[in-house]
């Protein structure tokens, strides 16, 4: 019996070993190393030297660009994430039909989420918003002056936010699955009582979707903080104009691989982890006030 139990355990460990080895090599060990480097002065070329909390204190006391990157990232997150979720829910409700072509429509709308973070799409977005791009051409046709998307920090950040909203496919599919699980009897009963579209939406659809909204909000919040490729390509790796697109991850990359200050970059990474963790904890804590679980019999 002991031999059989050992063989069964060995088989189990063998199957999970790829994940365990991958987690140790590519996640746990690098994370521990970065935590150590965050307390050192390390330029990738020489041995790290211990400097304690100096990297952390200098972020908030002597690095104006760090504070700017934090500000830009917060604006990007708190503008882009709600707009993406609203647009994703809007499209999901449109696609929540019995049309024979709805499968094709779902695939088409999901494509931006697959390719939206690629270099090619970021280059395309840069061309769309160029001085002679189609966006300015459309504005001119409406009698509106061209916008210098790459000369105005606010306009450049808006350009990144629109790209973020365009990548709504994954959230849309999750919302669509949630809409499919709402019993149609609820809509029929409310219709008999004379409820209109907006009453059904705010009294049935939204309350039933709040667990899905919570999940999408957490996932999109984390994803937004890690955005890198669009900001890098659109600003040509500089974060311009006037650091208007200097997202946190882009500035972290520049510190690590442009200025070769890996210790400072590691400290930035851990601060970002803390920020994301705190925001996630706040969302979970407040979810008790607005997330409805049917199994709990109410809010």
């Amino acid at each position: 019996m002991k031999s059989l139990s050992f063989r069964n355990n060995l088989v189990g460990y063998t199957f999970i070993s790829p994940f365990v080895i991958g987690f140790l090599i590519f996640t746990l060990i690098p994370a521990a190393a970065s935590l150590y480097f965050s307390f050192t002065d390390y330029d990738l070329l020489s041995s790290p030297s211990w400097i304690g909390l100096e990297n952390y204190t200098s972020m908030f006391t002597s690095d104006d660009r760090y504070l700017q990157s934090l500000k830009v990232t917060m604006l990007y997150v708190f503008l882009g994430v709600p707009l993406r979720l609203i647009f994703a829910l809007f499209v999901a409700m449109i696609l929540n039909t019995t049309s024979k072509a709805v499968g094709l429509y779902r695939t088409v709308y999901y494509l931006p989420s697959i390719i939206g973070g690629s270099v090619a799409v970021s280059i395309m977005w840069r061309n769309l918003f160029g001085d002679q791009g189609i966006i300015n051409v459309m504005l001119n046709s409406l009698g509106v002056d061209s916008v210098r998307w790459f000369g105005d920090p606010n306009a450049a950040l808006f350009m990144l936010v629109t790209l973020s909203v365009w990548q709504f496919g994954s959230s849309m599919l999750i919302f669509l699955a949630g809409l499919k699980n709402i019993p149609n009897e609820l809509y029929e009963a409310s219709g008999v009582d004379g409820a209109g579209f907006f009453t059904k939406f705010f009294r049935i659809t939204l309350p039933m979707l709040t667990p899905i909204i919570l999940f999408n909000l957490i996932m999109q919040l984390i994803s937004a903080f890690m955005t890198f490729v669009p900001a890098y390509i659109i600003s040509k790796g500089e974060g311009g104009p006037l650091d208007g697109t200097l997202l946190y991850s882009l500035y972290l990359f520049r510190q690590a691989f442009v200025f070769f200050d890996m210790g400072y970059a590691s400290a930035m990474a851990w601060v970002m982890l803390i920020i994301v963790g705190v925001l996630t904890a706040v969302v979970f804590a407040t979810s008790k006030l607005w997330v409805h679980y049917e199994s709990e019999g109410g809010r």
Side-chain angles (χ1 to χ4, degrees):
M1 292 296 293
K2 291 183 179 180
S3 177
L4 179 60
S5 177
F6 174 78
R7 287 198 301 269
N8 290 336
N9 290 336
L10 182 62
V11 171
Y13 289 134
T14 301
F15 276 106
I16 68 172
S17 61
F19 168 78
V20 174
I21 295 173
F23 177 76
L24 290 174
I25 295 177
F26 298 109
T27 302
L28 188 60
I29 294 176
S34 71
L35 180 60
Y36 167 73
F37 291 144
S38 70
F39 297 101
T40 66
D41 180 14
Y42 182 39
D43 61 3
L44 295 176
L45 301 176
S46 56
S47 299
S49 58
W50 186 268
I51 58 174
L53 296 174
E54 184 176 328
N55 286 327
Y56 292 94
T57 56
S58 63
M59 287 182 200
F60 301 98
T61 59
S62 60
D63 190 351
D64 293 335
R65 295 197 74 192
Y66 172 80
L67 297 177
Q68 173 66 12
S69 71
L70 193 59
K71 174 186 174 182
V72 170
T73 304
M74 289 298 180
L75 287 173
Y76 175 80
V77 171
F78 289 111
L79 286 175
V81 171
L83 289 175
R84 183 191 293 192
L85 294 182
I86 291 171
F87 196 64
L89 178 56
F90 173 74
V91 176
M93 293 187 66
I94 294 176
L95 295 181
N96 189 29
T97 64
T98 57
S99 172
K100 294 182 179 180
V102 70
L104 175 62
Y105 295 148
R106 293 172 188 170
T107 303
V108 171
Y109 281 114
Y110 183 65
L111 282 177
S113 292
I114 300 176
I115 64 175
S118 67
V119 174
V121 171
S122 299
I123 294 174
M124 178 195 73
W125 215 256
R126 180 180 177 85
N127 292 331
L128 287 176
F129 286 87
D131 292 339
Q132 303 300 323
I134 190 172
I135 302 300
N136 277 332
V137 171
M138 293 174 61
L139 291 175
N140 293 335
S141 66
L142 297 174
V144 181
D145 294 335
S146 298
V147 178
R148 296 185 66 248
W149 299 101
F150 300 101
D152 184 347
N154 295 326
L157 181 60
F158 174 78
M159 181 170 47
L160 283 180
V161 171
T162 56
L163 178 55
S164 170
V165 174
W166 183 66
Q167 302 169 38
F168 64 89
S170 58
S171 299
M172 180 268 295
L173 287 180
I174 296 173
F175 276 135
L176 189 58
L179 289 171
K180 293 292 185 183
N181 286 327
I182 299 178
N184 195 49
E185 293 79 5
L186 296 177
Y187 294 110
E188 293 175 352
S190 62
V192 171
D193 292 336
F197 171 79
F198 289 103
T199 301
K200 293 179 181 179
F201 178 75
F202 287 105
R203 295 297 182 90
I204 299 176
T205 305
L206 272 186
M208 297 294 288
L209 281 181
T210 48
I212 307 297
I213 295 174
L214 175 63
F215 174 79
N216 272 335
L217 177 60
I218 296 297
M219 297 305 295
Q220 296 304 321
L221 185 71
I222 297 172
S223 176
F225 270 100
M226 296 192 298
T227 301
F228 170 75
V229 172
Y232 182 85
I233 298 299
I234 289 175
S235 69
K236 297 183 179 180
E238 299 291 333
L242 300 176
D243 292 338
T245 59
L246 188 65
L247 294 183
Y248 198 103
S249 57
L250 176 57
Y251 189 50
L252 189 155
F253 170 84
R254 289 181 59 80
Q255 286 291 341
F257 301 107
V258 176
F259 305 126
F260 296 103
D261 194 348
M262 184 59 71
Y264 193 82
S266 298
M268 285 184 61
W270 280 94
V271 171
M272 189 205 305
L273 176 64
I274 294 172
I275 292 173
V276 173
V278 169
L279 289 177
T280 303
V282 170
V283 172
F284 272 114
T286 58
S287 67
K288 298 177 182 179
L289 303 176
W290 57 273
V291 177
H292 170 84
Y293 294 103
E294 188 175 2
S295 60
E296 295 180 358
R299 296 186 177 215

